[in-house]
Amino acid sequence: MSQQLRRATLIACSATAVLGLAACGPDNANPSATAPAPTSSASAASSTAPAPGPTASTAGLPDGNKLNALLLPATAMPPKFKLDPNGSQSTGDGVIPPASPSAVPAGKACDMLNGTGWVNSAGIIAASFAKNNYADEAQNMFAQELDAYRGNDAQTVMANLKKTLTACHTFTVTQDGQNYSATVTLQSLPGVGDEALQAVITSPEWTGGSTLVAARVGKVVVATYDNEQSKTGTAGAALTKTLVKNAASAH
């Protein structure tokens, strides 16, 4: 894939942050900064699940500070990967109020898969989260995110992600006026957390690919995005398995 198209995937999370989707959060170099409450524009997200309701409990859920401490450190990353300070965000010791999910157009949901905030395509607002991104000069990158959900929302997130990835088996990526045909290859990952899935996104026009992994550990969803210039991000699955082990300690 051209560097221009690859760079577009790196900033995709910022675009979804404008929509008020909490898992992206604000651009802030402080990883323990508190994210704002989602705005009414968050209703653009996709889900058929009922809203958790204003009395949904956050008892027992890890806050953003705890989740941030569970993210993989720089020493776990591939050589030459450096932390992007603008991609380090969390809810700190606060929580995000529950919001009612509603449907996102199919095309927009597919577009969201091509970026670090792809977990937002599930359309469910987390109660707390922490995330960061690592990248090298060649624009290879690994993004990691931990989201803690109320009630049964974590199960709904996984179900919604599977539906979206299945529906987006083939979709079109548009960049600089050019269309690229992308293919999503979806598979389950047995033995990773309580449930897990992996999606590899490739295209005949690209020189590399992206690997997306989501895994649920109780009420926490681990979501990673591995974008590589010369291959399909196979390192992402191994890093995610380590992150899942960290998430297990949050319960």
Side-chain angles (χ1 to χ4, degrees), residues 39-181:
T39 65
S40 58
S41 59
S43 62
S46 172
S47 175
T48 57
T55 61
S57 175
T58 58
L61 291 181
D63 65 15
N65 291 331
K66 185 171 184 179
L67 293 173
N68 188 69
L70 298 175
L71 294 174
L72 298 179
T75 53
M77 297 297 135
K80 299 183 180 181
F81 272 47
K82 296 181 179 180
L83 180 67
D84 174 10
N86 291 325
S88 298
Q89 301 143 16
S90 87
T91 48
D93 58 4
V95 296
I96 300 171
S100 299
S102 61
V104 155
K108 181 175 290 187
C110 294
D111 287 344
M112 293 173 72
L113 301 179
N114 202 38
T116 60
W118 73 277
V119 70
N120 291 326
S121 66
I124 305 293
I125 299 299
S128 57
F129 76 91
K131 70 179 294 289
N132 61 32
N133 310 327
Y134 286 84
D136 63 13
E137 293 182 354
Q139 298 183 29
N140 300 304
M141 73 169 299
F142 178 77
Q144 57 182 339
E145 182 169 339
L146 295 174
D147 297 275
Y149 294 91
R150 299 170 172 87
N152 295 321
D153 280 356
Q155 290 96 317
T156 305
V157 166
M158 294 299 297
N160 288 358
L161 290 177
K162 184 176 181 179
K163 290 177 183 177
T164 297
L165 290 164
T166 300
C168 298
H169 173 61
T170 58
F171 68 100
T172 300
V173 178
T174 301
Q175 176 67 23
D176 295 333
Q178 297 187 35
N179 293 331
Y180 301 85
S181 177

